[in-house]
PDB file of all heavy atoms in Angstrom:
ATOM      1  N   LEU A   8      -5.420   6.909  19.654  1.00 98.00           N
ATOM      2  CA  LEU A   8      -6.150   6.418  18.466  1.00 98.00           C
ATOM      3  C   LEU A   8      -6.625   7.587  17.591  1.00 98.00           C
ATOM      4  O   LEU A   8      -6.628   7.504  16.372  1.00 98.00           O
ATOM      5  CB  LEU A   8      -7.327   5.550  18.903  1.00 98.00           C
ATOM      6  CG  LEU A   8      -8.051   4.814  17.772  1.00 98.00           C
ATOM      7  CD1 LEU A   8      -7.099   3.914  17.006  1.00 98.00           C
ATOM      8  CD2 LEU A   8      -9.212   4.006  18.313  1.00 98.00           C
ATOM      9  N   GLU A   9      -6.965   8.679  18.241  1.00 98.00           N
ATOM     10  CA  GLU A   9      -7.399   9.885  17.527  1.00 98.00           C
ATOM     11  C   GLU A   9      -6.272  10.396  16.642  1.00 98.00           C
ATOM     12  O   GLU A   9      -6.464  10.679  15.461  1.00 98.00           O
ATOM     13  CB  GLU A   9      -7.830  10.938  18.542  1.00 98.00           C
ATOM     14  CG  GLU A   9      -8.322  12.247  17.973  1.00 98.00           C
ATOM     15  CD  GLU A   9      -9.596  12.084  17.145  1.00 98.00           C
ATOM     16  OE1 GLU A   9     -10.389  11.178  17.468  1.00 98.00           O
ATOM     17  OE2 GLU A   9      -9.774  12.863  16.157  1.00 98.00           O
ATOM     18  N   SER A  12      -5.355   7.687  13.816  1.00 98.00           N
ATOM     19  CA  SER A  12      -6.310   7.643  12.699  1.00 98.00           C
ATOM     20  C   SER A  12      -6.192   8.908  11.843  1.00 98.00           C
ATOM     21  O   SER A  12      -6.218   8.849  10.603  1.00 98.00           O
ATOM     22  CB  SER A  12      -7.743   7.477  13.194  1.00 98.00           C
ATOM     23  OG  SER A  12      -8.110   8.518  14.048  1.00 98.00           O
ATOM     24  N   THR A  13      -6.054  10.055  12.482  1.00 98.00           N
ATOM     25  CA  THR A  13      -5.927  11.328  11.749  1.00 98.00           C
ATOM     26  C   THR A  13      -4.712  11.272  10.805  1.00 98.00           C
ATOM     27  O   THR A  13      -4.792  11.678   9.651  1.00 98.00           O
ATOM     28  CB  THR A  13      -5.788  12.515  12.726  1.00 98.00           C
ATOM     29  OG1 THR A  13      -6.971  12.525  13.539  1.00 98.00           O
ATOM     30  CG2 THR A  13      -5.667  13.835  11.995  1.00 98.00           C
ATOM     31  N   ILE A  16      -5.232   8.709   7.890  1.00 98.00           N
ATOM     32  CA  ILE A  16      -6.171   9.251   6.906  1.00 98.00           C
ATOM     33  C   ILE A  16      -5.471  10.334   6.090  1.00 98.00           C
ATOM     34  O   ILE A  16      -5.560  10.374   4.853  1.00 98.00           O
ATOM     35  CB  ILE A  16      -7.448   9.748   7.595  1.00 98.00           C
ATOM     36  CG1 ILE A  16      -8.245   8.547   8.127  1.00 98.00           C
ATOM     37  CG2 ILE A  16      -8.287  10.624   6.669  1.00 98.00           C
ATOM     38  CD1 ILE A  16      -9.323   8.876   9.136  1.00 98.00           C
ATOM     39  N   LYS A  19      -3.034   9.250   3.218  1.00 98.00           N
ATOM     40  CA  LYS A  19      -3.576   8.819   1.923  1.00 98.00           C
ATOM     41  C   LYS A  19      -3.165   9.818   0.837  1.00 98.00           C
ATOM     42  O   LYS A  19      -2.885   9.424  -0.313  1.00 98.00           O
ATOM     43  CB  LYS A  19      -5.097   8.742   1.955  1.00 98.00           C
ATOM     44  CG  LYS A  19      -5.667   7.554   2.667  1.00 98.00           C
ATOM     45  CD  LYS A  19      -7.175   7.463   2.521  1.00 98.00           C
ATOM     46  CE  LYS A  19      -7.900   8.596   3.212  1.00 98.00           C
ATOM     47  NZ  LYS A  19      -9.381   8.459   3.168  1.00 98.00           N
ATOM     48  N   VAL A  80      -4.639   1.796   9.170  1.00 98.00           N
ATOM     49  CA  VAL A  80      -4.575   1.774   7.703  1.00 98.00           C
ATOM     50  C   VAL A  80      -5.863   2.439   7.211  1.00 98.00           C
ATOM     51  O   VAL A  80      -6.955   2.104   7.687  1.00 98.00           O
ATOM     52  CB  VAL A  80      -4.498   0.330   7.165  1.00 98.00           C
ATOM     53  CG1 VAL A  80      -4.398   0.336   5.658  1.00 98.00           C
ATOM     54  CG2 VAL A  80      -3.361  -0.432   7.785  1.00 98.00           C
ATOM     55  N   ALA A  81      -5.725   3.362   6.276  1.00 98.00           N
ATOM     56  CA  ALA A  81      -6.897   4.100   5.791  1.00 98.00           C
ATOM     57  C   ALA A  81      -7.011   4.021   4.266  1.00 98.00           C
ATOM     58  O   ALA A  81      -6.009   4.177   3.543  1.00 98.00           O
ATOM     59  CB  ALA A  81      -6.811   5.556   6.218  1.00 98.00           C
ATOM     60  N   THR A  82      -8.235   3.723   3.802  1.00 98.00           N
ATOM     61  CA  THR A  82      -8.514   3.753   2.359  1.00 98.00           C
ATOM     62  C   THR A  82      -9.808   4.554   2.167  1.00 98.00           C
ATOM     63  O   THR A  82     -10.412   5.030   3.137  1.00 98.00           O
ATOM     64  CB  THR A  82      -8.700   2.332   1.792  1.00 98.00           C
ATOM     65  OG1 THR A  82      -9.804   1.714   2.479  1.00 98.00           O
ATOM     66  CG2 THR A  82      -7.446   1.483   1.978  1.00 98.00           C
ATOM     67  N   ASN A  83     -10.268   4.632   0.924  1.00 98.00           N
ATOM     68  CA  ASN A  83     -11.517   5.366   0.673  1.00 98.00           C
ATOM     69  C   ASN A  83     -12.698   4.436   0.443  1.00 98.00           C
ATOM     70  O   ASN A  83     -13.775   4.882   0.041  1.00 98.00           O
ATOM     71  CB  ASN A  83     -11.326   6.280  -0.561  1.00 98.00           C
ATOM     72  CG  ASN A  83     -10.370   7.400  -0.228  1.00 98.00           C
ATOM     73  OD1 ASN A  83     -10.477   8.035   0.817  1.00 98.00           O
ATOM     74  ND2 ASN A  83      -9.429   7.660  -1.130  1.00 98.00           N
ATOM     75  N   ILE A  84     -12.491   3.131   0.711  1.00 98.00           N
ATOM     76  CA  ILE A  84     -13.582   2.207   0.443  1.00 98.00           C
ATOM     77  C   ILE A  84     -14.293   1.798   1.733  1.00 98.00           C
ATOM     78  O   ILE A  84     -13.779   1.928   2.834  1.00 98.00           O
ATOM     79  CB  ILE A  84     -13.090   0.935  -0.308  1.00 98.00           C
ATOM     80  CG1 ILE A  84     -12.016   0.186   0.503  1.00 98.00           C
ATOM     81  CG2 ILE A  84     -12.593   1.295  -1.696  1.00 98.00           C
ATOM     82  CD1 ILE A  84     -11.727  -1.221  -0.023  1.00 98.00           C
ATOM     83  N   SER A  85     -15.472   1.247   1.532  1.00 98.00           N
ATOM     84  CA  SER A  85     -16.257   0.759   2.651  1.00 98.00           C
ATOM     85  C   SER A  85     -16.882  -0.593   2.274  1.00 98.00           C
ATOM     86  O   SER A  85     -17.453  -0.707   1.178  1.00 98.00           O
ATOM     87  CB  SER A  85     -17.367   1.745   2.999  1.00 98.00           C
ATOM     88  OG  SER A  85     -18.026   1.338   4.155  1.00 98.00           O
ATOM     89  N   PRO A  87     -13.912  -1.041   5.249  1.00 98.00           N
ATOM     90  CA  PRO A  87     -12.493  -0.658   5.115  1.00 98.00           C
ATOM     91  C   PRO A  87     -11.639  -1.850   4.647  1.00 98.00           C
ATOM     92  O   PRO A  87     -11.947  -3.010   4.901  1.00 98.00           O
ATOM     93  CB  PRO A  87     -12.088  -0.258   6.525  1.00 98.00           C
ATOM     94  CG  PRO A  87     -13.131  -0.810   7.428  1.00 98.00           C
ATOM     95  CD  PRO A  87     -14.394  -0.924   6.622  1.00 98.00           C
ATOM     96  N   PHE A 109      -6.025  -1.142  13.105  1.00 98.00           N
ATOM     97  CA  PHE A 109      -7.266  -0.366  12.939  1.00 98.00           C
ATOM     98  C   PHE A 109      -7.409  -0.015  11.462  1.00 98.00           C
ATOM     99  O   PHE A 109      -6.512   0.583  10.881  1.00 98.00           O
ATOM    100  CB  PHE A 109      -7.218   0.888  13.775  1.00 98.00           C
ATOM    101  CG  PHE A 109      -7.157   0.624  15.273  1.00 98.00           C
ATOM    102  CD1 PHE A 109      -5.936   0.477  15.909  1.00 98.00           C
ATOM    103  CD2 PHE A 109      -8.313   0.543  16.034  1.00 98.00           C
ATOM    104  CE1 PHE A 109      -5.849   0.220  17.278  1.00 98.00           C
ATOM    105  CE2 PHE A 109      -8.257   0.267  17.398  1.00 98.00           C
ATOM    106  CZ  PHE A 109      -7.024   0.129  18.027  1.00 98.00           C
ATOM    107  N   MET A 110      -8.564  -0.381  10.880  1.00 98.00           N
ATOM    108  CA  MET A 110      -8.788  -0.164   9.447  1.00 98.00           C
ATOM    109  C   MET A 110      -9.876   0.855   9.266  1.00 98.00           C
ATOM    110  O   MET A 110     -10.994   0.665   9.767  1.00 98.00           O
ATOM    111  CB  MET A 110      -9.182  -1.487   8.800  1.00 98.00           C
ATOM    112  CG  MET A 110      -8.089  -2.545   8.950  1.00 98.00           C
ATOM    113  SD  MET A 110      -8.724  -4.217   8.687  1.00 98.00           S
ATOM    114  CE  MET A 110      -8.712  -4.852  10.340  1.00 98.00           C
ATOM    115  N   TYR A 111      -9.566   1.929   8.548  1.00 98.00           N
ATOM    116  CA  TYR A 111     -10.503   3.041   8.375  1.00 98.00           C
ATOM    117  C   TYR A 111     -11.060   3.099   6.971  1.00 98.00           C
ATOM    118  O   TYR A 111     -10.314   2.918   5.997  1.00 98.00           O
ATOM    119  CB  TYR A 111      -9.785   4.367   8.707  1.00 98.00           C
ATOM    120  CG  TYR A 111      -9.577   4.513  10.197  1.00 98.00           C
ATOM    121  CD1 TYR A 111      -8.490   3.927  10.824  1.00 98.00           C
ATOM    122  CD2 TYR A 111     -10.525   5.172  10.987  1.00 98.00           C
ATOM    123  CE1 TYR A 111      -8.342   3.978  12.205  1.00 98.00           C
ATOM    124  CE2 TYR A 111     -10.389   5.248  12.373  1.00 98.00           C
ATOM    125  CZ  TYR A 111      -9.292   4.647  12.963  1.00 98.00           C
ATOM    126  OH  TYR A 111      -9.146   4.711  14.319  1.00 98.00           O
ATOM    127  N   ASP A 112     -12.348   3.377   6.861  1.00 98.00           N
ATOM    128  CA  ASP A 112     -12.949   3.567   5.525  1.00 98.00           C
ATOM    129  C   ASP A 112     -12.928   5.068   5.191  1.00 98.00           C
ATOM    130  O   ASP A 112     -12.358   5.885   5.952  1.00 98.00           O
ATOM    131  CB  ASP A 112     -14.354   2.969   5.496  1.00 98.00           C
ATOM    132  CG  ASP A 112     -15.387   3.769   6.294  1.00 98.00           C
ATOM    133  OD1 ASP A 112     -15.055   4.884   6.780  1.00 98.00           O
ATOM    134  OD2 ASP A 112     -16.537   3.303   6.415  1.00 98.00           O
ATOM    135  N   GLY A 113     -13.531   5.410   4.073  1.00 97.00           N
ATOM    136  CA  GLY A 113     -13.490   6.804   3.613  1.00 97.00           C
ATOM    137  C   GLY A 113     -14.269   7.780   4.461  1.00 97.00           C
ATOM    138  O   GLY A 113     -14.060   8.999   4.376  1.00 97.00           O
ATOM    139  N   GLU A 114     -15.135   7.248   5.301  1.00 97.00           N
ATOM    140  CA  GLU A 114     -15.928   8.118   6.187  1.00 97.00           C
ATOM    141  C   GLU A 114     -15.341   8.234   7.606  1.00 97.00           C
ATOM    142  O   GLU A 114     -15.924   8.905   8.463  1.00 97.00           O
ATOM    143  CB  GLU A 114     -17.369   7.617   6.305  1.00 97.00           C
ATOM    144  CG  GLU A 114     -18.316   8.152   5.242  1.00 97.00           C
ATOM    145  CD  GLU A 114     -18.182   7.335   3.963  1.00 97.00           C
ATOM    146  OE1 GLU A 114     -18.378   6.113   4.007  1.00 97.00           O
ATOM    147  OE2 GLU A 114     -17.853   7.942   2.948  1.00 97.00           O
ATOM    148  N   GLY A 115     -14.251   7.543   7.836  1.00 95.00           N
ATOM    149  CA  GLY A 115     -13.646   7.600   9.175  1.00 95.00           C
ATOM    150  C   GLY A 115     -14.151   6.525  10.096  1.00 95.00           C
ATOM    151  O   GLY A 115     -13.769   6.493  11.294  1.00 95.00           O
ATOM    152  N   ASN A 116     -15.016   5.607   9.584  1.00 97.00           N
ATOM    153  CA  ASN A 116     -15.446   4.468  10.414  1.00 97.00           C
ATOM    154  C   ASN A 116     -14.302   3.419  10.413  1.00 97.00           C
ATOM    155  O   ASN A 116     -13.590   3.321   9.417  1.00 97.00           O
ATOM    156  CB  ASN A 116     -16.684   3.810   9.824  1.00 97.00           C
ATOM    157  CG  ASN A 116     -17.800   4.808   9.641  1.00 97.00           C
ATOM    158  OD1 ASN A 116     -18.189   5.504  10.578  1.00 97.00           O
ATOM    159  ND2 ASN A 116     -18.320   4.893   8.415  1.00 97.00           N
ATOM    160  N   HIS A 117     -14.223   2.677  11.503  1.00 98.00           N
ATOM    161  CA  HIS A 117     -13.140   1.697  11.533  1.00 98.00           C
ATOM    162  C   HIS A 117     -13.573   0.367  12.107  1.00 98.00           C
ATOM    163  O   HIS A 117     -14.568   0.261  12.815  1.00 98.00           O
ATOM    164  CB  HIS A 117     -11.935   2.216  12.295  1.00 98.00           C
ATOM    165  CG  HIS A 117     -12.082   2.217  13.786  1.00 98.00           C
ATOM    166  ND1 HIS A 117     -12.612   3.255  14.473  1.00 98.00           N
ATOM    167  CD2 HIS A 117     -11.737   1.283  14.701  1.00 98.00           C
ATOM    168  CE1 HIS A 117     -12.601   2.966  15.781  1.00 98.00           C
ATOM    169  NE2 HIS A 117     -12.105   1.771  15.950  1.00 98.00           N
ATOM    170  N   LYS A 118     -12.801  -0.674  11.767  1.00 98.00           N
ATOM    171  CA  LYS A 118     -12.872  -1.955  12.478  1.00 98.00           C
ATOM    172  C   LYS A 118     -11.447  -2.292  12.930  1.00 98.00           C
ATOM    173  O   LYS A 118     -10.487  -1.795  12.360  1.00 98.00           O
ATOM    174  CB  LYS A 118     -13.468  -3.049  11.598  1.00 98.00           C
ATOM    175  CG  LYS A 118     -12.597  -3.552  10.476  1.00 98.00           C
ATOM    176  CD  LYS A 118     -13.270  -4.693   9.716  1.00 98.00           C
ATOM    177  CE  LYS A 118     -13.122  -6.041  10.372  1.00 98.00           C
ATOM    178  NZ  LYS A 118     -13.489  -7.158   9.471  1.00 98.00           N
TER     179      LYS A 118
END
Side-chain angles (χ1 to χ4, degrees):
L8 189 57
E9 181 63 31
S12 60
T13 301
I16 290 165
K19 285 187 293 185
V80 182
T82 61
N83 291 315
I84 59 167
S85 186
F109 296 89
M110 299 162 252
Y111 287 83
D112 72 8
E114 271 83 57
N116 305 307
H117 76 271
K118 72 177 277 193

